[in-house]
Amino acid sequence: MTNRQQESNTGGRRVAVREGSGHILLDDVAKQIIEQLQEDGRRPYATIGKAVGLSEAAVRQRVQRLLDAGVMQIVAVTDPLQLGFPRQAMIGLRTDGDLEAVADRLAELEEVDYVVITAGSFDLLTEVVCRNDDHLLEILQKLRAVPGVLATEAFVYLKLRKQTYTWGTA
């Protein structure tokens, strides 16, 4: 899959945009490095090197290539509840007109954490985290004001049972 990074208009926040249908072929060592970092994103390169049979410098170079290629990101994953955002929702949107343009406009909104173009009864799905129900209502009003948005449907999260980022390396 061809990956590119773009700066959004929300304070320089990095936004990942995935396009295309191809994918980057990874060798077994690259897959092992990714798996090591999925277990602990702060694992020292020397420790990873011992596990995969490379020097610390070789691991550092390979990790940098994976980052530069957009294959992975190393980030801190936070718990919205503990940060004062007890309300989360997935919002389905039906649109009219240029779907990609609407998706781009939604991605520019600071409150929107996730935008995906879908097939099915919704054209787009977005995910948001909110301080409370009033904040969710404000966000819904912003989404509805985006040109091309015809309708929204919010799916409020009552309890998160599983969230993982370890999809494996096929």
Side-chain angles (χ1 to χ4, degrees):
M1 180 171 327
T2 305
N3 292 323
R4 66 181 163 90
Q5 295 289 322
Q6 74 180 26
E7 290 288 331
S8 73
N9 293 329
T10 56
R13 200 170 64 154
R14 305 282 293 170
V15 177
V17 179
R18 297 190 322 177
E19 298 176 331
S21 60
H23 64 278
I24 295 172
L25 296 175
L26 302 175
D27 65 13
D28 288 339
V29 174
K31 291 177 183 180
Q32 291 172 18
I33 291 170
I34 292 169
E35 289 167 359
Q36 290 282 314
L37 289 168
Q38 284 177 323
E39 290 175 16
D40 180 359
R42 295 176 14 158
R43 185 166 287 158
Y45 292 149
T47 304
I48 296 170
K50 288 178 186 170
V52 303
L54 294 176
S55 69
E56 178 181 351
V59 170
R60 183 180 322 283
Q61 289 175 347
R62 279 178 167 256
V63 167
Q64 192 58 54
R65 281 197 304 257
L66 291 167
L67 294 169
D68 291 344
V71 171
M72 67 176 191
Q73 297 175 336
I74 300 173
V75 298
V77 178
T78 58
D79 180 351
L81 293 173
Q82 295 194 38
L83 295 176
F85 297 98
R87 176 62 69 222
Q88 292 178 264
M90 180 70 65
I91 302 168
L93 296 102
R94 291 184 182 87
T95 66
D96 187 25
D98 185 350
L99 184 58
E100 301 246 356
V102 175
D104 289 344
R105 290 286 304 271
L106 295 172
E108 291 173 359
L109 298 174
E110 183 177 345
E111 299 89 349
V112 174
D113 295 318
Y114 176 83
V115 178
V116 63
I117 297 172
T118 65
S121 60
F122 295 106
D123 299 310
L124 297 164
L125 291 175
T126 63
E127 185 177 54
V128 298
V129 294
C130 312
R131 294 183 302 276
N132 52 40
D133 287 339
D134 288 336
H135 188 212
L136 175 57
L137 183 57
E138 288 172 29
I139 293 170
L140 285 168
Q141 290 169 339
K142 280 186 179 182
L143 296 177
R144 291 175 182 143
V146 171
V149 172
L150 298 176
T152 62
E153 185 172 346
F155 300 91
V156 175
Y157 299 179
L158 298 176
K159 187 181 281 190
L160 182 63
R161 297 300 284 189
K162 180 179 181 180
Q163 182 172 359
T164 182
Y165 299 99
T166 55
W167 297 297
T169 53

